[in-house]
Amino acid sequence: MSTDKNIKVIETNDGSSTLFNEELNETYHSSHGALTESEYVFIKAGVEAILPTCGNHLKIFEVGFGTGLNAILTIKEALKHPDVQFHYVSVEAFPLKEEIVAQLNYKSLLDESLHSYFDQIHQVEWGKDISILPNFVLHKIDGKLEEFDWEAEYFDLIYFDAFAPSKQAEMWEKSSFDICYKVSAPQSMLVTYCANGQFKRTLKSANYIIEAYPGPPGKREMVRGLKGITPTYPPKLKYKKPE
């Protein structure tokens, strides 16, 4: 994997920044909008969908901490739901350096009340439970998904946010989703921006129920992998052309 010298900050169509990995020739988020994509895929299609089934405790596992955008947007949701305890575990094999994070413009697009939390999630110690809010605990893990024993964890929601299969094929193998399925609660969900056919077949082979879900701007669809949950969208959903 490339080092930070191969990573450049670029602006996406909604004005939010993302990173471009020159070695992989790949961006961290959709060029149609980093903030828009994260809010749609992980918050709207993930957190908002699973919250009604979780009672007062939501446990989230993120594969790919990256820029911290998904984490800060989840903190934003935690502020809206003070009676729900959020436990957020994120694994990242290649943490970004402070000078790269400092160039991201997310704070200028988020409410001022979130600015200190964005700094905090990047500065906290790795490998420990850290209370960011009274109802939000962050645990960042420096390493690869397959390097750890997750037997004791049972997550309600998984954010699968690795680079695209064409760029990081090893992350999209069945073994990754076997781990995800094993650490998921009996009624849980996996959400990701990816929707290609091979990925759907791989996810299904790991025992997930596949749910095609309308995609964010620029994408026809995204996928939710369900465990113990009945799909809410019909398999042959008709999609509108993205605006």
Side-chain angles (χ1 to χ4, degrees):
M1 181 63 67
S2 60
T3 60
D4 279 4
K5 68 180 181 180
N6 302 113
I7 296 176
K8 307 299 180 185
V9 178
I10 63 172
E11 186 174 299
T12 61
N13 289 352
D14 67 359
S16 61
S17 55
T18 190
L19 301 178
F20 177 68
N21 186 310
E22 293 181 325
E23 186 174 328
L24 293 179
N25 191 32
E26 179 76 339
T27 57
Y28 276 56
H29 305 93
S30 168
S31 61
H32 293 275
L35 185 61
T36 300
E37 179 187 48
S38 289
E39 285 183 328
Y40 185 92
V41 173
F42 301 106
I43 304 303
K44 175 181 170 58
V47 174
E48 292 182 7
I50 202 72
L51 260 178
T53 72
C54 294
N56 61 358
H57 193 178
L58 176 58
K59 202 165 188 179
I60 298 173
F61 180 43
E62 178 183 43
V63 180
F65 184 78
T67 64
L69 182 54
N70 297 335
I72 192 62
L73 291 176
T74 308
I75 288 173
K76 181 181 177 182
E77 289 301 299
L79 287 167
K80 297 178 184 177
H81 301 278
D83 295 332
V84 179
Q85 291 295 318
F86 286 71
H87 189 187
Y88 193 101
V89 177
S90 184
V91 60
E92 173 58 63
F94 305 96
L96 295 171
K97 292 182 179 179
E98 184 177 347
E99 53 265 35
I100 294 293
V101 174
Q103 297 177 56
L104 299 168
N105 72 346
Y106 301 146
K107 289 197 292 186
S108 69
L109 301 174
L110 296 169
D111 188 272
E112 188 175 353
S113 63
L114 294 168
H115 292 187
S116 64
Y117 300 130
F118 183 75
D119 294 334
Q120 191 177 358
I121 64 175
H122 284 285
Q123 294 166 1
V124 296
E125 187 175 353
W126 292 72
K128 291 185 177 181
D129 279 356
I130 306 292
S131 293
I132 307 297
L133 299 171
N135 68 322
F136 188 98
V137 172
L138 173 65
H139 189 119
K140 297 194 300 181
I141 298 171
D142 184 354
K144 297 180 179 180
L145 176 66
E146 66 274 14
E147 293 176 339
F148 300 94
D149 180 6
W150 305 99
E151 290 288 350
E153 303 289 353
Y154 294 98
F155 296 98
D156 305 297
L157 179 62
I158 293 179
Y159 297 169
F160 201 88
D161 202 16
F163 283 117
S166 60
K167 306 296 182 178
Q168 200 176 21
E170 69 278 6
M171 286 300 300
W172 298 85
E173 293 177 355
K174 181 176 179 291
S175 57
S176 293
F177 300 106
D178 284 338
I179 294 172
C180 290
Y181 193 87
K182 180 177 69 174
V183 303
S184 294
Q187 290 186 305
S188 56
M189 178 186 297
L190 178 150
V191 289
T192 184
Y193 63 87
C194 185
N196 72 40
Q198 180 56 54
F199 162 61
K200 291 178 183 177
R201 290 188 288 274
T202 300
L203 197 61
K204 185 176 182 180
S205 71
N207 293 319
Y208 278 101
I209 297 170
I210 307 304
E211 180 178 52
Y213 192 89
K219 289 184 69 71
R220 179 173 174 267
E221 69 178 31
M222 56 168 279
V223 163
R224 300 197 294 199
L226 308 179
K227 179 179 179 180
I229 298 175
T230 302
T232 56
Y233 277 83
K236 296 182 178 180
L237 179 67
K238 292 183 179 179
Y239 297 89
K240 293 181 179 179
K241 184 178 180 181
E243 296 179 359

